[in-house]
Amino acid sequence: MEYNKKIITDLNNLEGKKVILRCDFNVPLDKQTLEITDYTRIDAALKTINYLIDKKAKVIILSHLSRIKSIDDIKSGKKSLIPVFNALKKKLPNVKIVFEKNNTDPLLFQKINNMENGSIMLLENTRYNDVNEKGEVVKLESKNDSQLGKFWASLGDIFINDAFGTSHRSHASNVGISQNIGESALGFLVNDELVKLSKAINNPQKPVIAIFGGAKVSDKIPSIKNIGKFADKILIGGGMAYTFLKAQGYEIGISLFEADQLELTKQLLVEFKDKIVLPVDAVMAKTIDDTGGQTYDVGEFNPELEGVDLGEKSIHKFKEILKTAKTIIWNGPLGVFENKAFSKGTLEICKYIAEITKSNNCYSVIGGGDSAAAAVKFGVSKEFSHISTGGGASLEFFSGKVLPGIDCIKNKN
């Protein structure tokens, strides 16, 4: 898919302009201390923020943090953006930054007008609007309430979307604002995502090898169908592999699988019969929390155990296919990598892709989510050509769907 959207550098005369900036500060927090445990998303937004500060704009930042399902989620303060506010103050020590607890306060108009040029106002979690004062779940943000979108749009002159992680959603804080504001553009982060993900999709260098893992086949079917049109091979691992094996009639023990996806899985096996590659063996255990397991060949699985990782034969087979790749698209871990005992498949393939990215001049892309977390955990994230900041958004992108948070931005001409 080709994009012709305005980007931040297409905007002129930003000095004194009120710029609403949608960031993705959905950062992980320590459950006890509420301290941020990974600053990746904040660091990724700094290029756009600093650009706007240098241009002397008034920057009004919106973001969500987690899902808000009850009034307790709000009253507890555990999903507040205050930790992000504190982080921004440390990372931008020379910039005046204020935090507003009420993101729908009518007094915001005057406060924003009084902002200094080159300063920042961070508004509280956008999803606080998903639950009202009575505790009713109303989802004004998540379902793009027209009045909420209009209110936020009225706070500024320009809207910039720099939150790729929510660009596959039609929310009040992206689509709602852009529909009610005169000017809009993409930030550096989102534009970078589109450029780098497009390189793997639009006329990629062949051979193209796609790797899909994780728990659910249902999440990946649209992407498999779209990428399958041009990929040379599609490697399937993780929990979703057992739905494919079940569809072929194999015993899978008590392994995770989606019964309602069996027919669609069978169709994929027919449509891409020369491309889909499944595991030939697997490590099995009683539970995903076990300290070890036993390896069984496909066709000989223990009916009382569940598959938790790739076996040695599967790892070797996947590597043999990957070694000639010039483009690799990876989404989803290949086992229960959070448990060290069952992390070998994900670890070995992750490190191997990192190696051939350099040695083969291969273009390697991770579609965010758990596979990105695995690359970070194993210390090879910088070896990949690109790691997306949005798991769900990258999956939608890979499936060829229009991303609402991108589509709503003004075209260049």
Side-chain angles (χ1 to χ4, degrees), residues 209-255:
I209 310 298
I211 309 172
F212 289 99
K216 295 183 177 180
V217 175
S218 52
D219 291 341
K220 310 292 167 66
I221 283 177
S223 294
I224 293 173
K225 278 182 167 290
N226 191 50
I227 291 176
K229 296 173 185 176
F230 60 86
D232 295 277
K233 293 292 181 182
I234 303 169
L235 312 184
I236 307 290
M240 61 184 287
Y242 302 101
T243 301
F244 278 87
L245 292 172
K246 182 79 171 178
Q248 289 185 325
Y250 286 111
E251 166 67 56
I252 62 168
I254 58 171
S255 301

Side-chain angles (χ1 to χ4, degrees), residues 288-289 307-309 333-343 346:
I288 61 172
D289 298 316
V308 290
D309 197 8
L334 305 175
V336 188
F337 79 98
E338 300 90 342
N339 182 342
K340 187 177 180 180
F342 308 132
S343 65
T346 306

Side-chain angles (χ1 to χ4, degrees), residues 133-150:
E133 293 179 354
K134 298 178 181 179
E136 299 167 333
V137 178
V138 291
K139 295 191 175 183
L140 299 184
E141 153 71 328
S142 300
K143 290 191 175 181
N144 189 16
D145 177 75
S146 60
Q147 294 306 310
L148 183 58
K150 285 179 182 178

Side-chain angles (χ1 to χ4, degrees), residues 59-182:
V59 186
I60 304 103
I61 299 179
L62 290 172
S63 177
H64 75 289
L65 200 165
S66 190
R67 294 179 180 176
I68 303 298
K69 300 179 180 179
S70 69
I71 196 71
D72 290 337
D73 285 339
I74 299 174
K75 290 183 176 180
S76 69
K78 292 182 179 181
K79 296 181 179 181
S80 170
L81 284 174
I82 288 177
V84 173
F85 170 60
N86 292 329
L88 287 173
K89 287 195 296 182
K90 289 180 180 178
K91 290 180 179 291
L92 301 166
N94 299 318
V95 178
K96 183 176 181 180
I97 307 174
V98 297
F99 179 73
E100 289 293 332
K101 293 182 180 180
N102 185 345
N103 61 34
T104 58
D105 189 347
L107 295 177
L108 287 174
F109 294 105
Q110 189 60 44
K111 290 180 179 180
I112 291 170
N113 285 334
N114 292 337
M115 285 174 67
E116 298 174 9
N117 292 352
S119 66
I120 295 172
M121 178 184 288
L122 174 66
L123 303 187
E124 183 57 284
N125 191 342
T126 59
R127 290 188 182 170
Y128 274 20
N129 297 282
D130 280 352
V131 175
N132 66 20
E133 293 179 354
K134 298 178 181 179
E136 299 167 333
V137 178
V138 291
K139 295 191 175 183
L140 299 184
E141 153 71 328
S142 300
K143 290 191 175 181
N144 189 16
D145 177 75
S146 60
Q147 294 306 310
L148 183 58
K150 285 179 182 178
F151 174 80
W152 282 334
S154 69
L155 298 177
D157 305 306
I158 300 167
F159 173 65
I160 294 178
N161 182 17
D162 210 30
F164 183 71
T166 58
S167 290
H168 61 309
R169 305 295 188 196
S170 181
H171 287 175
S173 62
N174 54 17
V175 174
I177 294 174
S178 64
Q179 289 173 334
N180 294 285
I181 203 164

Side-chain angles (χ1 to χ4, degrees), residues 20-31:
I20 303 170
L21 174 63
R22 180 54 161 102
C23 292
D24 183 4
F25 291 150
N26 186 25
V27 294
L29 301 175
D30 183 278
K31 291 182 180 179

